[in-house]
Amino acid sequence: QVQLVESGGGLVQTGGSLRLSCAASGRSFSSDTMGWFRQAPGKEREFVAAITWTGGIIYYADSVKGRFTISRDNAKNTVALQMNSLKPEDAAVYYCAAAYRQAFGLRLGATYDYWGQGTQVTVSS
């Protein structure tokens, strides 16, 4: 059974940092593009970051560029999102997603085949 499980969410003060992790299981995800999305209450899900299977292409939403870093460890079947200089507007449920050998449309949720259950990030002002 294919599963993506996020961890690392929590409560942090404005300006603080969190590191989210997504562990994939059920098969190797070394050929999948991995993405992070987030959804705040009352808002639509939005793209945060994506990394292709070789790590050769990385995209960030403009709102997080320069503050967030996505990385992956194919040997461990994990992807991480390092979030620095957090702002109240970063508060949301963060979701990990996987798309097999996709290199286009990575900012679109419809591109991804598998999703995790999400981890809550709360930023206090």
Side-chain angles (χ1 to χ4, degrees):
Q1 181 182 0
V2 174
Q3 244 186 336
L4 301 177
V5 179
E6 303 93 338
S7 61
L11 173 64
V12 65
Q13 290 186 333
T14 296
S17 298
L18 280 176
R19 184 176 178 85
L20 305 184
S21 184
C22 173
S25 61
R27 64 166 175 80
S28 171
F29 280 76
S30 61
S31 295
D32 289 67
T33 285
M34 303 299 293
W36 286 96
F37 289 75
R38 67 187 182 187
Q39 187 167 21
K43 295 187 177 181
E44 293 188 353
R45 182 180 60 194
E46 64 173 353
F47 169 78
V48 175
I51 183 169
T52 53
W53 56 95
T54 63
I57 299 175
I58 292 176
Y59 293 112
Y60 294 101
D62 288 343
S63 59
V64 307
K65 202 172 294 183
R67 300 187 297 121
F68 290 12
T69 303
I70 188 172
S71 61
R72 66 187 298 157
D73 185 335
N74 286 341
K76 296 183 178 179
N77 239 16
T78 60
V79 62
L81 185 69
Q82 177 66 42
M83 307 187 296
N84 298 329
S85 302
L86 282 161
K87 305 175 181 180
E89 52 263 44
D90 293 318
V93 177
Y94 282 71
Y95 298 91
C96 170
Y100 182 73
R101 286 195 173 270
Q102 288 290 340
F104 301 98
L106 301 185
R107 300 174 187 269
L108 303 175
T111 299
Y112 296 82
D113 306 305
Y114 300 101
W115 293 82
Q117 292 300 308
T119 185
Q120 177 73 51
V121 171
T122 304
V123 184
S124 64
S125 55

